[in-house]
Amino acid sequence: MSVAAKAEAKKLSDAEIVEAYLTASMIPDPDAAAAYMKPGTIITFTGGHEFDHPRGPTGFNAARYRWVKKKMDRFDVCPGAAETVVYSVGTLHGEWIDGTPFEGNRYVDRFVVRDGFIVKMDVWNDSAERILVNRGIEA
């Protein structure tokens, strides 16, 4: 059963919505990931890059990594009156575009979830610092 079909089968918690989005985005299947976002959602990626669809980060990552996956260590859920903020915290692993493997690259993703859909996403990770260090520049 696909992630989207499972979502339709039962109402997902806000943390489960975020986890399903991240799982689909790691395939990568940006169109399946978009099913968890309200249309027009802005994704602010590392370095301040803004995208309005999960295809944006997928393309951005394709220029930086041969492949990249997240080890989702935990979800911190902060419920509010009209929306919930969910933080996904963990590490990235994969291969840089030159084929060099990496692991343990910290990330934090912040999501705002309202009425069963992600309405905002912010992404931070240590990739830029690791790229600098790999080039002999102290970060």
Side-chain angles (χ1 to χ4, degrees):
M1 179 181 284
S2 73
V3 174
K6 287 179 186 176
E8 289 178 18
K10 74 172 189 122
K11 182 172 173 15
L12 299 178
S13 72
D14 293 337
E16 289 171 328
I17 290 166
V18 167
E19 184 175 16
Y21 167 86
L22 290 172
T23 299
S25 68
M26 283 190 291
I27 291 173
D29 187 343
D31 292 325
Y36 299 98
M37 297 189 129
K38 185 173 182 172
T41 295
I42 297 299
I43 303 165
T44 306
F45 222 61
T46 58
H49 302 279
E50 290 188 346
F51 306 103
D52 63 1
H53 190 279
R55 283 187 295 271
T58 299
F60 180 84
N61 283 339
R64 184 175 274 193
Y65 312 106
R66 279 194 181 172
W67 64 272
V68 62
K69 303 292 181 205
K70 291 184 177 189
K71 179 181 177 285
M72 297 176 263
D73 291 334
R74 72 175 196 268
F75 295 93
D76 296 336
V77 180
C78 308
E83 60 191 26
T84 302
V85 174
V86 179
Y87 292 91
S88 174
V89 180
T91 57
L92 304 174
H93 62 279
E95 286 184 12
W96 297 111
I97 199 71
D98 70 359
T100 304
F102 69 89
E103 63 183 351
N105 183 344
R106 300 175 308 159
Y107 82 86
V108 175
D109 293 343
R110 181 186 184 271
F111 295 85
V112 178
V113 181
R114 187 180 309 129
D115 299 325
F117 291 96
I118 297 165
V119 298
K120 182 161 180 40
M121 178 183 179
D122 296 289
V123 176
W124 297 274
N125 63 55
D126 287 338
S127 292
E129 287 76 12
R130 286 174 170 242
I131 290 169
L132 289 172
V133 169
N134 288 341
R135 293 188 175 163
I137 301 168
E138 187 174 332

